[in-house]
Amino acid sequence: MPDLIRHIACCIDDSDAGTAALDHAQMLAELTGAPLSVVHVIAPPPFLLTMAAGIGGAPVHDDDAQREAGLAWLQAVADGRGDARAVLLEGHPGETACAWAVAESVDMIVVASHRGRVERALLGSFASYVSHHAPCPVLLIPPTAAHES
């Protein structure tokens, strides 16, 4: 019987729900023997803030500092997870994660579903986007899993 899961990706943020998703992804990786990629996407700054900076305002954020801090945090998280690989991406979170999953032949994505209704309405839902656009099955970890792990 061929291996059905050869590469697992877990998309995380710095939250209890993200940690719970990573716990589940690590367990699946151990059960299947598949490598685990721990993925975090740095979103670009909001358009209006970028425009304000371009009109003579102070820089909105320091891309290099944000990238370095994000990579250091992500690498520390991945280092505590066996052979997990840290993957830091930049762009629109949902689109970028799904495009990366296609390029890397990911067989399963694990992601936390933890935003409330107001946050989803204002910011959109990463988990919803990934579940509808991923090239592979998506395991959504509910908010209650963060309290149980």
Side-chain angles (χ1 to χ4, degrees):
M1 181 163 125
D3 294 330
L4 297 177
I5 300 176
R6 295 173 304 277
H7 185 186
I8 298 171
C10 183
C11 299
I12 65 167
D13 59 7
D14 188 15
S15 69
D16 290 343
T19 300
L22 188 51
D23 290 343
H24 283 79
Q26 183 178 9
M27 180 175 40
L28 283 170
E30 290 169 359
L31 289 171
T32 62
L36 174 62
S37 295
V38 182
V39 180
H40 179 70
V41 183
I42 298 174
F47 177 73
L48 292 177
L49 292 178
T50 304
M51 290 295 295
I55 300 174
V60 178
H61 76 352
D62 182 346
D63 287 340
D64 291 335
Q66 183 181 14
R67 193 176 302 111
E68 287 177 27
L71 187 55
W73 165 76
L74 190 61
Q75 190 62 55
V77 170
D79 285 348
R81 301 292 178 152
D83 293 333
R85 175 176 67 131
V87 178
L88 183 67
L89 304 172
E90 296 179 57
H92 177 274
E95 292 172 10
T96 302
C98 288
W100 174 85
V102 169
E104 293 294 317
S105 301
V106 171
D107 297 302
M108 177 174 279
I109 298 174
V110 180
V111 64
S113 174
H114 62 60
R115 284 194 174 150
R117 288 184 184 176
V118 173
E119 288 176 304
R120 265 196 314 272
L122 294 174
L123 302 173
S125 170
F126 175 81
S128 177
Y129 185 92
V130 171
S131 69
H132 287 95
H133 295 90
C136 58
V138 176
L139 176 60
L140 294 175
I141 305 301
T144 55
H147 302 295
E148 296 169 2
S149 58

